[in-house]
Amino acid sequence: MREYLKFYIDGKWVDPVEPKTSEVVNPATEAVSGRISMGSAADVEKAVAAARRAFAGWSETTREQRLDVLLAIQSEYAKRQDELGDAITEEMGAPVSLGRGFHVALGAGHLQTAIEVLREFKFEELRGSTMIRQEPIGVCGLITPWNWPMNQTCVKIFPALATGNTMILKPPQLAPFSAHILAEILDAAGVPAGVFNMIQGSGSVIGTALSTHEDVDMISFTGSEPVGVQIQKDAAPTVKRVGLELGGKSAFIVLDDAALADNVAAATVGMMGNSGQTCSAGSRLLVPAARMDEVVASARAACDSVTVGDPQGNFAMGPVVSKSQFNIIQEYIQKGLDEGAQLVAGGLGRPEGIDKGWFVKPTVFVGSNDMVIAREEIFGPVLVIIGYDDIDQAVAIANDSTFGLAGYVNGLDIDQVRAVGKRLRTGWVSLNGGFDFHAPFGGYKRSGNGREWGEFGFHEYLEIKSLLGYASA
Ligand code: NAP
Ligand code: MG
């Protein structure tokens, strides 16, 4: 049992102003795995005041001073990687190999990237006689989801720190353990008091207190569309900057060539990773309609190869995060059946032989783009295959979505792959599996408005100042 009852405010572990706790449930066992404190607006007041006090000094630090702090964090993070991974397994059910592996590696990758960008970043630039300076925006509220806890948290904290901001992190109730360990890492690394603060609790209490706060300059949020909309409304009266990373219903386009079966298999297995709980997941698989039989055979075999079970064991997929997510996913699978999609693999209920824990069957449908299962983000291991007649139609289907987060194009003809990638109305397109920590990540349309990762992630947290007449003409 983990007991994480203190908050990290002004460089110290402190009790909440009003004691109140909540249980955290392990989604693989349905057993209580720990307790956290649930903060109140009074805790937010203390943290914002600490962050404001710390801003005066931290915003004036040199690049080298901030680099030293990030390097110190890096060595503390390295010491506690497995602990972080195990916490992620316990809180959101990722298999140990994934928790200790890619989950933790994503956090480390964003830290290393922030260090590399900070070494080179141009905070000042002379244009004619004007000096253009990029300055930290101030006190930032960081609100994060449970699905990739280290990724979503590190992609905010490290750029915010590197650019001289101070911050209050509100981790998700469903995945609070890894955030607590991360706060211990920042503490051990000697981040100055008040620069980083962390309060656990509910989004409607802590999140709202941050979004509406007079003395918070910016909110960076990753999560669902309705909450993103609410935060913008809450932040409007104080004219805060609001960075939003929301959901997606991204298309994975497989071109008509000799690699079709392999690409379909890769797309199918990829969709099931992290139990399908990935905002950028390629959840609509677009394939040449004329080759649907081949596609279905490949997708079915790939889906059936995805083993599901105890995240402590040697399985590819663990449970989904909670009973509530399990139920939502079951409703979507039922919806798919009701609207006449063809079930290729998986389906309703838990996988064979599992009677406890929020385990979902990896599921593949063949459907059409007007179906609910092709339009709404399911956030579970459910793939919808859609046929296209030609490339123009594939692009039209891909872009026919209220979301615009990611896209994938796989094929043997790299010129065609590139050309299709350019036509997608999304912020992040992976060509034949391309991946890059320095590439800006974020959405068009209702997938959000921000760009995180790498140098673009720094701009999220910077104001721009013009000093006119700086250089004498
Ligand atoms: P969510 O409800 O949007 O929660 C994300 C974060 O916002 C959590 O820390 C949450 O706190 C907080 N929050 C909730 N209400 C708030 C409010 N009124 N003001 C400020 N903050 C608030 O997302 P979720 O529950 O984690 O997942 C639900 C859906 O969101 C998923 O099914 C998926 O569609 C989408 N999602 C998208 C991404 C992405 O990366 N784009 C990631 C995760 C989820 P609590 O701790 O109280 O929940
Ligand atoms: Mg929620």
Side-chain angles (χ1 to χ4, degrees), residues 314-365:
N314 190 23
F315 296 94
M317 203 179 102
V320 298
V321 71
S322 66
K323 180 180 185 179
S324 139
Q325 283 297 120
F326 177 88
N327 287 334
I328 290 170
I329 295 161
Q330 297 301 310
E331 282 166 26
Y332 274 115
I333 294 173
Q334 183 63 56
K335 185 84 200 164
L337 297 169
D338 293 346
E339 60 191 346
Q342 177 202 342
L343 186 67
V344 166
L348 289 167
R350 292 185 172 99
E352 216 67 37
I354 297 180
D355 56 9
K356 204 187 219 161
W358 307 118
F359 294 90
V360 175
K361 289 181 191 163
T363 294
V364 176
F365 284 108

Side-chain angles (χ1 to χ4, degrees), residues 143-147 152 170-174 201-204 206-208 211 221-225 227-228 230-231 234 245-248 278-279 325 328 377-379 405:
I143 303 175
T144 53
W146 46 264
N147 62 326
Q152 318 287 26
K170 203 301 277 179
Q173 290 177 67
L174 287 172
S202 93
S204 57
I206 307 301
T208 307
S211 306
F221 170 76
T222 301
S224 64
E225 188 187 331
V227 173
Q230 186 59 46
I231 288 174
D234 289 342
E245 299 289 345
L246 309 177
T278 301
C279 50
Q325 283 297 120
I328 290 170
E377 185 178 43
I378 299 175
F379 231 61
L405 187 53

Side-chain angles (χ1 to χ4, degrees), residues 387-429:
Y388 65 77
D389 294 331
D390 57 29
I391 284 299
D392 285 347
Q393 195 190 16
V395 169
I397 295 170
N399 290 337
D400 178 13
S401 172
T402 55
F403 294 110
L405 187 53
Y408 303 80
V409 189
N410 275 29
L412 295 173
D413 177 352
I414 186 64
D415 291 332
Q416 196 185 13
V417 167
R418 288 174 179 146
V420 172
K422 287 179 184 173
R423 295 174 69 188
L424 299 183
R425 299 283 300 159
T426 69
W428 190 92
V429 182

